[in-house]
Amino acid sequence: MIEALFESNCPDLKLVARGKVRDLYEVDAESLLFVATDRISAYDVIMKSAVAGKGKILTQISQFWFSFLEPVVQNHLITANIDEMPQVVQQYRDQLQGRSLLVKKVE
């Protein structure tokens, strides 16, 4: 059985924010890491339970739309492939694989 990820834990990265479903880390001066957890929210309330794999599905949906719209509009996605992310991110592969996006930091 797949275990749900309610909260990411990447102590070597600076946690910028925890949203209803996503955690946001600063990787370096030019990039951020979005982590889609398995938390459930409704009406701005985070439930105490989670749905295993939900964050991975949300990330796949995001990847689809970034790819589909790439010929039309620029986006902030650098990569969703953990092997292409900095080593400081790769060390958390077990919890981040398939549920994280490395993105450009913008003003």
Side-chain angles (χ1 to χ4, degrees):
M1 184 171 168
I2 300 171
E3 193 172 319
L5 180 70
F6 191 79
E7 185 175 280
S8 62
N9 181 23
C10 304
D12 289 337
L13 298 174
K14 178 184 173 190
L15 179 65
V16 175
R18 277 196 208 284
K20 293 183 284 183
V21 175
R22 289 179 177 82
D23 296 342
L24 178 64
Y25 293 92
E26 182 178 66
V27 176
D28 55 38
E30 298 164 0
S31 60
L32 299 168
L33 184 72
F34 278 86
V35 180
T37 68
D38 298 328
R39 293 191 293 264
I40 305 169
S41 69
Y43 303 107
D44 292 333
V45 175
I46 299 171
M47 306 299 174
K48 292 181 182 177
S49 60
V51 175
K54 176 180 175 256
K56 290 184 179 185
I57 293 168
L58 291 175
T59 301
Q60 288 173 353
I61 292 168
S62 295
Q63 286 179 269
F64 168 81
W65 285 111
F66 285 135
S67 176
F68 183 78
L69 294 171
E70 189 174 30
V72 179
V73 64
Q74 290 182 332
N75 62 59
H76 62 303
L77 180 63
I78 297 171
T79 188
N81 183 342
I82 194 100
D83 295 325
E84 296 173 358
M85 295 183 189
Q87 188 59 42
V88 69
V89 174
Q90 290 183 28
Q91 68 180 324
Y92 303 112
R93 175 184 305 275
D94 289 348
Q95 63 178 310
L96 301 180
Q97 182 82 41
R99 65 173 69 246
S100 57
L101 300 173
L102 186 69
V103 300
K104 298 173 195 168
K105 191 186 283 188
V106 296
E107 297 285 325

XYZ file of all heavy atoms in Angstrom:
854
model
N 0.832 -1.184 0.000
C 0.000 0.000 0.000
C 0.881 1.254 0.000
O 1.859 1.339 0.725
C -0.910 -0.005 1.225
C -1.866 1.123 1.264
S -3.047 0.844 2.600
C -3.798 2.415 2.659
N 0.520 2.221 -0.803
C 1.266 3.466 -0.894
C 0.941 4.327 0.334
O -0.210 4.489 0.708
C 0.891 4.240 -2.171
C 1.207 3.416 -3.403
C 1.625 5.567 -2.228
C 0.674 4.019 -4.683
N 1.990 4.878 0.930
C 1.804 5.750 2.085
C 1.597 7.187 1.617
O 2.285 7.664 0.723
C 3.027 5.660 2.989
C 2.812 6.278 4.354
C 3.960 5.999 5.296
O 4.467 4.862 5.294
O 4.351 6.924 6.019
N 0.642 7.874 2.216
C 0.342 9.260 1.838
C 1.408 10.202 2.398
O 1.919 10.007 3.501
C -1.031 9.663 2.353
N 1.740 11.228 1.607
C 2.669 12.266 2.053
C 1.844 13.476 2.482
O 1.331 14.217 1.654
C 3.636 12.658 0.933
C 4.646 13.741 1.298
C 5.671 13.189 2.283
C 5.339 14.272 0.070
N 1.684 13.642 3.788
C 0.884 14.753 4.300
C 1.688 16.051 4.314
O 1.147 17.130 4.111
C 0.370 14.444 5.709
C -0.657 15.415 6.196
C -1.977 15.321 5.781
C -0.309 16.449 7.048
C -2.935 16.232 6.199
C -1.250 17.365 7.479
C -2.572 17.253 7.055
N 2.994 15.913 4.542
C 3.851 17.093 4.621
C 5.248 16.694 4.181
O 5.773 15.680 4.633
C 3.863 17.594 6.069
C 4.591 18.869 6.303
C 4.431 19.337 7.738
O 3.386 19.919 8.060
O 5.358 19.093 8.539
N 5.843 17.480 3.286
C 7.214 17.190 2.864
C 8.181 17.646 3.947
O 7.871 18.505 4.767
C 7.523 17.888 1.537
O 7.423 19.285 1.675
N 9.365 17.048 3.936
C 10.380 17.392 4.922
C 11.738 17.420 4.221
O 12.331 16.376 3.982
C 10.376 16.380 6.069
C 11.400 16.712 7.122
O 11.822 17.855 7.264
N 11.814 15.719 7.872
N 12.187 18.625 3.892
C 13.464 18.815 3.188
C 14.293 19.828 3.978
O 14.362 21.003 3.616
C 13.213 19.311 1.765
S 12.130 18.252 0.793
N 14.917 19.395 5.070
C 15.593 20.343 5.970
C 16.744 21.128 5.360
O 17.078 22.195 5.863
C 16.067 19.465 7.132
C 15.966 18.064 6.660
C 14.983 18.027 5.547
N 17.362 20.633 4.279
C 18.459 21.374 3.655
C 17.968 22.436 2.672
O 18.781 23.154 2.079
C 19.418 20.423 2.934
C 20.219 19.589 3.919
O 20.372 20.008 5.078
O 20.677 18.500 3.529
N 16.649 22.526 2.489
C 16.052 23.564 1.645
C 15.267 24.523 2.529
O 14.721 24.115 3.550
C 15.106 22.937 0.612
C 15.721 21.970 -0.392
C 14.639 21.324 -1.234
C 16.725 22.689 -1.278
N 15.207 25.771 2.113
C 14.467 26.771 2.879
C 12.980 26.666 2.541
O 12.568 26.864 1.402
C 14.964 28.175 2.544
C 14.212 29.263 3.275
C 14.672 30.646 2.838
C 13.791 31.700 3.467
N 14.060 33.016 2.897
N 12.166 26.336 3.547
C 10.719 26.274 3.359
C 10.193 27.699 3.245
O 10.357 28.510 4.154
C 10.050 25.556 4.523
C 8.532 25.449 4.466
C 8.081 24.581 3.296
C 7.988 24.890 5.780
N 9.569 28.013 2.130
C 9.027 29.347 1.886
C 7.582 29.415 2.341
O 7.157 30.386 2.965
C 9.146 29.730 0.387
C 8.481 31.064 0.105
C 10.600 29.730 -0.050
N 6.811 28.356 2.024
C 5.385 28.360 2.383
C 4.823 26.948 2.331
O 5.324 26.092 1.604
C 4.613 29.249 1.421
N 3.769 26.748 3.115
C 2.956 25.536 3.018
C 1.553 25.998 2.690
O 0.931 26.707 3.473
C 2.921 24.778 4.335
C 4.104 23.896 4.552
C 3.859 22.876 5.657
N 5.097 22.504 6.288
C 5.994 21.693 5.761
N 5.789 21.148 4.592
N 7.104 21.417 6.397
N 1.093 25.613 1.525
C -0.263 25.960 1.123
C -1.234 24.872 1.550
O -0.909 24.017 2.367
N -2.415 24.913 0.967
C -3.416 23.903 1.300
C -2.972 22.522 0.832
O -3.228 21.529 1.508
C -4.766 24.264 0.686
C -5.381 25.512 1.310
C -6.736 25.803 0.729
C -6.542 26.407 -0.652
N -7.791 26.800 -1.291
N -2.317 22.458 -0.311
C -1.916 21.177 -0.887
C -0.426 21.129 -1.214
O 0.181 20.078 -1.140
C -2.743 20.887 -2.170
C -2.273 19.631 -2.861
C -4.228 20.792 -1.836
N 0.177 22.250 -1.555
C 1.578 22.267 -1.990
C 2.501 22.908 -0.956
O 2.113 23.848 -0.272
C 1.695 23.008 -3.324
C 1.106 22.209 -4.467
C 1.199 22.964 -5.789
N 0.697 22.160 -6.882
C -0.589 22.034 -7.202
N -1.505 22.680 -6.514
N -0.954 21.277 -8.210
N 3.722 22.392 -0.910
C 4.788 22.984 -0.112
C 5.757 23.642 -1.088
O 6.009 23.119 -2.173
C 5.526 21.912 0.692
C 4.644 21.227 1.731
O 3.574 21.778 2.070
O 5.020 20.136 2.202
N 6.306 24.784 -0.704
C 7.186 25.555 -1.577
C 8.523 25.783 -0.887
O 8.574 26.272 0.249
C 6.529 26.897 -1.907
C 7.307 27.873 -2.775
C 7.526 27.292 -4.165
C 6.575 29.200 -2.862
N 9.602 25.410 -1.589
C 10.955 25.565 -1.065
C 11.785 26.430 -2.001
O 11.610 26.383 -3.214
C 11.654 24.199 -0.959
C 11.060 23.272 0.061
C 10.066 22.363 -0.292
C 11.502 23.272 1.377
C 9.521 21.488 0.635
C 10.971 22.399 2.319
C 9.979 21.513 1.939
O 9.450 20.652 2.861
N 12.716 27.169 -1.422
C 13.706 27.888 -2.216
C 14.897 26.955 -2.411
O 15.457 26.450 -1.437
C 14.145 29.157 -1.490
C 15.140 29.974 -2.287
C 15.526 31.253 -1.572
O 16.172 31.142 -0.502
O 15.168 32.326 -2.055
N 15.261 26.716 -3.666
C 16.394 25.843 -3.970
C 17.669 26.672 -4.046
O 18.695 26.321 -3.477
C 16.163 25.071 -5.289
C 17.379 24.246 -5.652
C 14.924 24.184 -5.165
N 17.604 27.783 -4.761
C 18.732 28.709 -4.883
C 18.173 30.069 -5.276
O 16.953 30.270 -5.257
C 19.783 28.202 -5.878
C 19.215 27.884 -7.254
O 18.324 28.632 -7.730
O 19.662 26.898 -7.864
N 19.033 30.988 -5.643
C 18.602 32.359 -5.951
C 17.708 32.438 -7.185
O 16.992 33.413 -7.368
C 19.810 33.257 -6.136
N 17.740 31.395 -8.016
C 16.997 31.448 -9.280
C 15.875 30.432 -9.409
O 15.138 30.466 -10.386
C 17.985 31.263 -10.440
C 19.009 32.385 -10.483
C 20.214 32.035 -11.350
O 20.261 30.938 -11.921
O 21.114 32.880 -11.426
N 15.735 29.522 -8.421
C 14.710 28.490 -8.585
C 14.003 28.125 -7.280
O 14.559 28.278 -6.191
C 15.312 27.243 -9.220
O 16.341 26.720 -8.416
N 12.795 27.631 -7.463
C 11.943 27.171 -6.370
C 11.531 25.734 -6.638
O 11.550 25.278 -7.786
C 10.683 28.034 -6.266
C 10.870 29.515 -5.985
C 9.556 30.265 -6.208
C 11.366 29.725 -4.554
N 11.134 25.039 -5.596
C 10.645 23.676 -5.721
C 9.208 23.620 -5.209
O 8.948 23.961 -4.056
C 11.515 22.715 -4.917
C 11.159 21.247 -5.032
C 11.548 20.707 -6.418
C 11.838 20.433 -3.939
N 8.289 23.228 -6.085
C 6.901 23.001 -5.704
C 6.740 21.520 -5.409
O 7.087 20.678 -6.248
C 5.947 23.371 -6.845
C 5.638 24.829 -6.944
C 6.470 25.680 -7.644
C 4.506 25.352 -6.342
C 6.187 27.023 -7.750
C 4.215 26.698 -6.438
C 5.059 27.545 -7.137
N 6.200 21.182 -4.250
C 5.956 19.783 -3.880
C 4.459 19.613 -3.655
O 3.875 20.254 -2.772
C 6.726 19.396 -2.594
C 6.450 17.941 -2.233
C 8.213 19.652 -2.754
N 3.842 18.761 -4.455
C 2.411 18.485 -4.311
C 2.241 17.337 -3.318
O 2.628 16.204 -3.594
C 1.795 18.143 -5.659
N 1.674 17.634 -2.165
C 1.456 16.617 -1.141
C 0.127 15.913 -1.405
O -0.569 16.213 -2.369
C 1.424 17.253 0.262
O 0.248 18.060 0.376
C 2.673 18.081 0.529
N -0.211 15.016 -0.518
C -1.467 14.280 -0.627
C -2.556 14.845 0.294
O -3.592 14.215 0.509
C -1.223 12.799 -0.304
C -0.246 12.146 -1.272
O -0.226 12.559 -2.448
O 0.483 11.227 -0.867
N -2.312 16.059 0.819
C -3.315 16.695 1.691
C -4.603 16.949 0.916
O -4.594 17.161 -0.290
C -2.797 18.040 2.225
C -1.632 17.918 3.170
C -1.329 19.230 3.872
N -0.830 20.295 3.022
C 0.450 20.604 2.843
N 1.388 19.903 3.442
N 0.802 21.604 2.071
N -5.694 16.969 1.653
C -7.006 17.278 1.086
C -7.476 18.584 1.707
O -7.338 18.793 2.917
C -8.039 16.182 1.433
C -7.548 14.819 0.985
C -9.387 16.495 0.815
C -8.390 13.686 1.535
N -8.029 19.455 0.872
C -8.593 20.695 1.404
C -9.974 20.913 0.812
O -10.260 20.500 -0.305
C -7.687 21.889 1.100
O -7.692 22.154 -0.290
N -10.796 21.558 1.597
C -12.135 21.920 1.130
C -12.528 23.209 1.844
O -12.399 23.312 3.060
C -13.135 20.813 1.445
N -12.972 24.173 1.060
C -13.402 25.460 1.618
C -12.338 26.056 2.530
O -12.601 26.475 3.651
C -14.731 25.319 2.361
C -15.818 24.774 1.485
C -16.273 23.476 1.636
C -16.383 25.559 0.479
C -17.272 22.970 0.815
C -17.380 25.064 -0.345
C -17.810 23.760 -0.164
O -18.796 23.269 -0.978
N -11.090 26.056 2.057
C -9.951 26.627 2.771
C -9.634 25.939 4.094
O -9.011 26.528 4.973
C -10.148 28.135 3.000
C -10.092 28.918 1.703
O -9.422 28.443 0.770
O -10.701 29.992 1.620
N -10.059 24.699 4.240
C -9.748 23.913 5.427
C -8.930 22.703 4.987
O -9.307 21.995 4.056
C -11.039 23.438 6.141
C -10.695 22.519 7.303
C -11.855 24.625 6.616
N -7.814 22.470 5.669
C -6.998 21.285 5.382
C -7.505 20.157 6.268
O -7.525 20.274 7.495
C -5.511 21.560 5.651
C -5.012 22.698 4.746
C -4.688 20.299 5.435
C -3.615 23.183 5.077
N -7.917 19.080 5.641
C -8.439 17.924 6.375
C -7.303 17.186 7.072
O -6.145 17.308 6.710
C -9.169 16.973 5.418
C -10.242 17.630 4.589
S -11.518 18.328 5.639
C -12.502 19.174 4.430
N -7.662 16.386 8.070
C -6.662 15.643 8.831
C -6.200 14.377 8.125
O -5.210 13.783 8.509
C -7.213 15.297 10.213
C -7.408 16.520 11.083
C -7.937 16.184 12.447
C -8.145 17.475 13.226
N -8.713 17.238 14.540
N -6.917 13.968 7.106
C -6.525 12.785 6.347
C -5.943 13.207 5.003
O -6.025 14.370 4.619
C -7.725 11.854 6.156
O -8.745 12.536 5.455
N -5.381 12.232 4.299
C -4.783 12.496 2.982
C -5.127 11.342 2.044
O -5.517 10.269 2.491
C -3.271 12.637 3.124
N -4.985 11.587 0.754
C -5.231 10.558 -0.258
C -3.889 10.189 -0.884
O -3.276 11.017 -1.569
C -6.211 11.062 -1.340
C -6.364 10.033 -2.442
C -7.555 11.406 -0.724
N -3.449 8.964 -0.636
C -2.152 8.512 -1.145
C -2.090 8.640 -2.659
O -2.993 8.204 -3.367
C -1.906 7.072 -0.723
N -1.033 9.291 -3.157
C -0.823 9.440 -4.594
C -1.457 10.672 -5.205
O -1.202 10.987 -6.371
N -2.265 11.398 -4.445
C -2.951 12.582 -4.976
C -1.956 13.613 -5.502
O -2.149 14.182 -6.579
C -3.829 13.208 -3.897
C -4.508 14.488 -4.330
C -5.378 15.048 -3.194
C -5.949 16.369 -3.588
N -5.289 17.493 -2.959
N -0.877 13.855 -4.770
C 0.120 14.839 -5.189
C 0.792 14.463 -6.498
O 1.101 15.326 -7.324
N 1.007 13.178 -6.702
C 1.626 12.722 -7.956
C 0.680 12.958 -9.128
O 1.110 13.359 -10.208
C 2.013 11.249 -7.852
C 3.173 11.030 -6.893
C 3.614 9.585 -6.862
C 4.802 9.446 -5.910
N 5.354 8.096 -5.935
N -0.596 12.728 -8.918
C -1.580 12.965 -9.986
C -1.670 14.462 -10.290
O -1.697 14.853 -11.460
C -2.957 12.380 -9.602
C -2.862 10.850 -9.554
C -4.033 12.831 -10.573
C -4.049 10.169 -8.921
N -1.689 15.296 -9.273
C -1.717 16.753 -9.491
C -0.493 17.209 -10.290
O -0.607 18.062 -11.180
C -1.776 17.497 -8.157
C -3.061 17.389 -7.365
C -2.912 18.083 -6.014
C -4.235 17.969 -8.134
N 0.658 16.633 -9.985
C 1.884 16.988 -10.702
C 1.818 16.541 -12.161
O 2.229 17.286 -13.060
C 3.112 16.389 -9.988
O 3.152 16.898 -8.645
C 4.401 16.749 -10.700
N 1.273 15.365 -12.417
C 1.121 14.891 -13.793
C 0.186 15.799 -14.588
O 0.439 16.087 -15.763
C 0.588 13.456 -13.814
C 1.598 12.437 -13.364
C 0.997 11.048 -13.224
O -0.209 10.848 -13.335
N 1.852 10.069 -12.973
N -0.884 16.260 -13.957
C -1.811 17.179 -14.626
C -1.097 18.489 -14.956
O -1.225 19.017 -16.063
C -3.070 17.424 -13.759
C -3.897 16.134 -13.671
C -3.907 18.572 -14.317
C -4.999 16.183 -12.623
N -0.332 19.007 -14.002
C 0.429 20.242 -14.246
C 1.403 20.058 -15.394
O 1.502 20.918 -16.286
C 1.191 20.655 -12.989
O 0.311 20.990 -11.943
N 2.135 18.942 -15.404
C 3.090 18.672 -16.475
C 2.391 18.624 -17.830
O 2.916 19.155 -18.813
C 3.801 17.342 -16.245
C 4.836 17.381 -15.160
C 5.457 16.016 -14.992
O 5.006 15.201 -14.209
N 6.501 15.768 -15.758
N 1.237 17.988 -17.894
C 0.496 17.917 -19.149
C 0.202 19.315 -19.675
O 0.459 19.624 -20.839
C -0.813 17.134 -18.988
C -1.726 17.287 -20.169
C -1.523 16.527 -21.315
C -2.751 18.228 -20.170
C -2.344 16.690 -22.429
C -3.571 18.395 -21.270
C -3.368 17.632 -22.408
N -0.344 20.167 -18.822
C -0.745 21.499 -19.277
C 0.447 22.372 -19.631
O 0.406 23.136 -20.588
C -1.663 22.178 -18.266
C -3.038 21.578 -18.325
C -3.644 20.805 -17.381
C -3.961 21.667 -19.423
N -4.880 20.408 -17.820
C -5.104 20.927 -19.064
C -3.927 22.293 -20.663
C -6.212 20.807 -19.906
C -5.020 22.173 -21.500
C -6.144 21.439 -21.124
N 1.530 22.276 -18.868
C 2.736 23.030 -19.222
C 3.236 22.604 -20.597
O 3.597 23.436 -21.430
C 3.842 22.850 -18.183
C 3.616 23.603 -16.899
C 3.822 22.987 -15.680
C 3.213 24.923 -16.900
C 3.630 23.669 -14.491
C 3.012 25.626 -15.716
C 3.222 24.989 -14.509
N 3.257 21.312 -20.853
C 3.713 20.792 -22.138
C 2.752 21.163 -23.266
O 3.179 21.606 -24.337
C 3.854 19.273 -22.051
O 4.199 18.736 -23.295
N 1.477 21.001 -23.037
C 0.464 21.267 -24.054
C 0.452 22.737 -24.474
O 0.307 23.065 -25.643
C -0.915 20.865 -23.509
C -2.041 21.026 -24.495
C -2.236 20.090 -25.499
C -2.910 22.102 -24.413
C -3.275 20.223 -26.412
C -3.949 22.248 -25.315
C -4.131 21.309 -26.321
N 0.632 23.620 -23.503
C 0.564 25.055 -23.779
C 1.914 25.687 -24.110
O 1.971 26.865 -24.467
C -0.070 25.783 -22.594
C -1.535 25.446 -22.340
C -2.010 26.048 -21.030
C -2.398 25.909 -23.499
N 2.979 24.914 -24.041
C 4.323 25.450 -24.288
C 4.456 26.175 -25.638
O 5.078 27.240 -25.691
C 5.353 24.328 -24.185
C 6.773 24.818 -24.217
C 7.758 23.690 -23.956
O 7.457 22.535 -24.310
O 8.822 23.984 -23.402
N 3.853 25.684 -26.723
C 3.963 26.410 -27.996
C 3.205 27.739 -28.010
O 3.456 28.597 -28.838
C 3.344 25.456 -29.023
C 3.244 24.130 -28.366
C 3.192 24.385 -26.899
N 2.309 27.914 -27.051
C 1.445 29.091 -27.032
C 1.932 30.155 -26.047
O 1.910 31.344 -26.336
C -0.006 28.687 -26.663
C -0.921 29.890 -26.615
C -0.527 27.644 -27.638
N 2.388 29.701 -24.883
C 2.754 30.649 -23.822
C 3.950 30.100 -23.029
O 4.039 28.900 -22.777
C 1.545 30.928 -22.890
C 1.113 29.680 -22.149
C 1.830 32.051 -21.933
N 4.858 31.013 -22.660
C 5.997 30.613 -21.838
C 5.510 30.257 -20.439
O 4.483 30.757 -19.977
C 7.000 31.748 -21.728
C 7.730 32.050 -23.009
C 8.744 33.167 -22.806
O 8.586 34.032 -21.957
N 9.792 33.142 -23.604
N 6.270 29.404 -19.775
C 5.936 29.087 -18.385
C 7.209 29.059 -17.545
O 8.305 29.258 -18.052
C 5.156 27.766 -18.299
C 5.952 26.588 -18.813
O 7.029 26.287 -18.308
N 5.431 25.917 -19.836
N 7.054 28.813 -16.281
C 8.158 28.866 -15.333
C 8.796 27.503 -15.051
O 9.738 27.404 -14.271
C 7.667 29.489 -14.027
C 6.576 28.698 -13.362
N 5.387 28.379 -13.982
C 6.492 28.165 -12.126
C 4.626 27.684 -13.167
N 5.271 27.538 -12.031
N 8.321 26.441 -15.684
C 8.816 25.101 -15.411
C 10.245 24.908 -15.938
O 10.532 25.173 -17.099
C 7.895 24.059 -16.060
C 8.293 22.587 -15.859
C 8.247 22.205 -14.385
C 7.398 21.684 -16.681
N 11.126 24.438 -15.060
C 12.479 24.051 -15.454
C 12.484 22.551 -15.736
O 12.862 22.116 -16.797
C 13.515 24.410 -14.368
C 13.565 25.926 -14.155
C 14.895 23.856 -14.736
C 14.398 26.363 -12.962
N 12.033 21.760 -14.746
C 11.955 20.309 -14.926
C 11.083 19.672 -13.843
O 10.940 20.208 -12.748
C 13.357 19.653 -14.908
O 13.244 18.272 -15.268
C 14.024 19.763 -13.553
N 10.545 18.523 -14.191
C 9.839 17.684 -13.226
C 10.622 16.394 -12.997
O 10.211 15.550 -12.201
C 8.433 17.373 -13.729
N 11.750 16.262 -13.679
C 12.585 15.068 -13.589
C 13.570 15.238 -12.434
O 14.460 16.088 -12.485
C 13.324 14.865 -14.913
C 14.156 13.606 -14.931
O 14.468 13.022 -13.900
N 14.528 13.188 -16.124
N 13.420 14.430 -11.416
C 14.267 14.550 -10.230
C 15.746 14.386 -10.576
O 16.610 14.988 -9.940
C 13.828 13.545 -9.135
C 14.450 13.883 -7.784
C 14.144 12.127 -9.517
C 13.580 14.598 -6.848
N 16.067 13.608 -11.618
C 17.462 13.409 -12.031
C 18.087 14.669 -12.615
O 19.305 14.777 -12.682
C 17.566 12.272 -13.049
C 17.184 10.928 -12.452
O 17.478 10.696 -11.263
O 16.580 10.114 -13.169
N 17.267 15.620 -13.034
C 17.749 16.879 -13.604
C 17.765 18.009 -12.574
O 18.131 19.130 -12.903
C 16.880 17.272 -14.795
C 16.952 16.284 -15.941
C 15.967 16.583 -17.055
O 15.181 17.544 -16.940
O 15.970 15.836 -18.050
N 17.361 17.713 -11.361
C 17.326 18.726 -10.301
C 18.650 18.741 -9.559
O 19.411 17.766 -9.604
C 16.167 18.423 -9.346
C 14.817 18.551 -10.004
S 13.473 18.281 -8.821
C 12.074 18.221 -9.928
N 18.955 19.846 -8.872
C 20.207 19.927 -8.101
C 20.305 18.809 -7.061
O 19.291 18.302 -6.573
C 20.117 21.299 -7.423
C 19.179 22.081 -8.265
C 18.193 21.097 -8.804
N 21.523 18.459 -6.707
C 21.775 17.382 -5.746
C 21.073 17.638 -4.412
O 20.590 16.703 -3.771
C 23.277 17.204 -5.522
C 23.638 15.992 -4.682
C 23.156 14.683 -5.268
O 23.246 14.469 -6.466
N 22.642 13.803 -4.437
N 20.989 18.896 -3.997
C 20.342 19.225 -2.729
C 18.871 18.804 -2.744
O 18.295 18.506 -1.697
C 20.511 20.729 -2.386
C 19.703 21.611 -3.331
C 20.167 21.003 -0.937
N 18.264 18.734 -3.921
C 16.887 18.264 -4.072
C 16.867 16.745 -4.225
O 16.046 16.057 -3.605
C 16.192 18.931 -5.282
C 14.813 18.338 -5.512
C 16.119 20.437 -5.105
N 17.787 16.211 -5.014
C 17.820 14.770 -5.287
C 17.961 13.919 -4.031
O 17.486 12.779 -3.996
C 18.948 14.435 -6.261
C 18.717 14.920 -7.659
C 19.823 14.491 -8.608
O 20.473 13.471 -8.403
N 20.039 15.290 -9.641
N 18.565 14.465 -2.996
C 18.735 13.690 -1.765
C 17.393 13.333 -1.115
O 17.328 12.435 -0.280
C 19.636 14.432 -0.781
C 19.023 15.702 -0.211
C 19.948 16.405 0.753
O 20.687 15.763 1.499
N 19.916 17.728 0.743
N 16.324 14.010 -1.513
C 14.989 13.739 -0.979
C 14.132 12.971 -1.986
O 12.908 13.001 -1.941
C 14.297 15.042 -0.578
C 15.097 15.840 0.422
C 15.676 17.054 0.069
C 15.301 15.368 1.707
C 16.420 17.789 0.976
C 16.057 16.079 2.621
C 16.607 17.289 2.249
O 17.354 18.006 3.156
N 14.783 12.276 -2.895
C 14.126 11.540 -3.979
C 12.957 10.686 -3.485
O 11.904 10.660 -4.102
C 15.144 10.659 -4.682
C 14.586 9.748 -5.744
C 15.662 8.833 -6.316
N 16.803 9.572 -6.824
C 16.884 10.093 -8.048
N 15.885 9.926 -8.884
N 17.948 10.756 -8.429
N 13.132 9.991 -2.372
C 12.086 9.071 -1.894
C 10.749 9.769 -1.682
O 9.702 9.202 -1.977
C 12.513 8.389 -0.595
C 13.624 7.372 -0.816
O 13.906 7.026 -1.979
O 14.217 6.927 0.187
N 10.760 10.993 -1.183
C 9.496 11.685 -0.953
C 9.090 12.606 -2.100
O 7.914 12.921 -2.244
C 9.515 12.458 0.366
C 10.538 13.566 0.437
C 10.482 14.329 1.741
O 9.413 14.751 2.158
N 11.624 14.490 2.377
N 10.035 13.019 -2.952
C 9.738 14.001 -3.997
C 9.480 13.416 -5.382
O 8.888 14.082 -6.229
C 10.885 15.012 -4.104
C 11.207 15.817 -2.851
C 12.368 16.758 -3.123
C 9.991 16.573 -2.366
N 9.926 12.193 -5.623
C 9.803 11.576 -6.947
C 8.356 11.612 -7.442
O 7.445 11.131 -6.778
C 10.273 10.122 -6.881
C 10.230 9.392 -8.202
C 11.442 9.680 -9.056
O 12.552 9.747 -8.556
N 11.240 9.838 -10.335
N 8.159 12.236 -8.599
C 6.840 12.257 -9.219
C 5.873 13.293 -8.691
O 4.763 13.432 -9.193
N 6.277 14.047 -7.665
C 5.368 15.024 -7.074
C 5.993 16.410 -6.928
O 5.506 17.244 -6.194
C 4.856 14.533 -5.728
C 5.901 14.382 -4.662
C 5.319 14.056 -3.285
N 4.737 12.746 -3.200
C 3.423 12.507 -3.017
N 2.600 13.498 -2.859
N 2.970 11.279 -2.973
N 7.100 16.655 -7.628
C 7.769 17.943 -7.475
C 8.099 18.576 -8.821
O 8.345 17.884 -9.801
C 9.039 17.789 -6.634
O 9.897 16.840 -7.207
N 8.102 19.896 -8.817
C 8.433 20.680 -10.004
C 9.488 21.709 -9.629
O 9.302 22.464 -8.662
C 7.201 21.424 -10.537
C 5.995 20.603 -10.962
C 4.822 21.526 -11.293
C 6.329 19.733 -12.151
N 10.577 21.743 -10.370
C 11.578 22.784 -10.217
C 11.191 23.906 -11.167
O 10.987 23.666 -12.361
C 12.979 22.250 -10.559
C 14.129 23.204 -10.302
C 14.324 23.430 -8.806
C 15.422 22.639 -10.905
N 11.038 25.110 -10.627
C 10.540 26.229 -11.441
C 11.450 27.444 -11.285
O 12.182 27.580 -10.312
C 9.094 26.611 -11.051
C 8.145 25.439 -11.261
C 9.020 27.113 -9.621
N 11.364 28.326 -12.281
C 12.109 29.586 -12.243
C 11.481 30.507 -11.225
O 10.258 30.634 -11.148
C 12.075 30.270 -13.609
C 12.706 29.485 -14.718
C 12.461 30.181 -16.045
C 12.750 29.234 -17.188
N 12.265 29.743 -18.465
N 12.328 31.173 -10.486
C 11.861 32.191 -9.553
C 11.635 33.475 -10.358
O 12.499 33.885 -11.126
C 12.908 32.433 -8.460
C 12.417 33.268 -7.308
C 13.531 33.588 -6.334
C 13.862 32.435 -5.455
N 14.823 32.838 -4.379
N 10.484 34.068 -10.221
C 10.171 35.307 -10.928
C 9.747 36.364 -9.936
O 9.356 36.079 -8.819
C 9.072 35.098 -12.006
C 9.551 34.163 -13.083
C 7.801 34.588 -11.388
N 9.835 37.590 -10.347
C 9.428 38.728 -9.511
C 7.931 38.872 -9.508
O 7.261 38.681 -10.452
C 10.079 40.012 -10.018
C 11.582 39.979 -9.941
C 12.134 40.154 -8.548
O 11.552 40.909 -7.760
O 13.133 39.501 -8.240
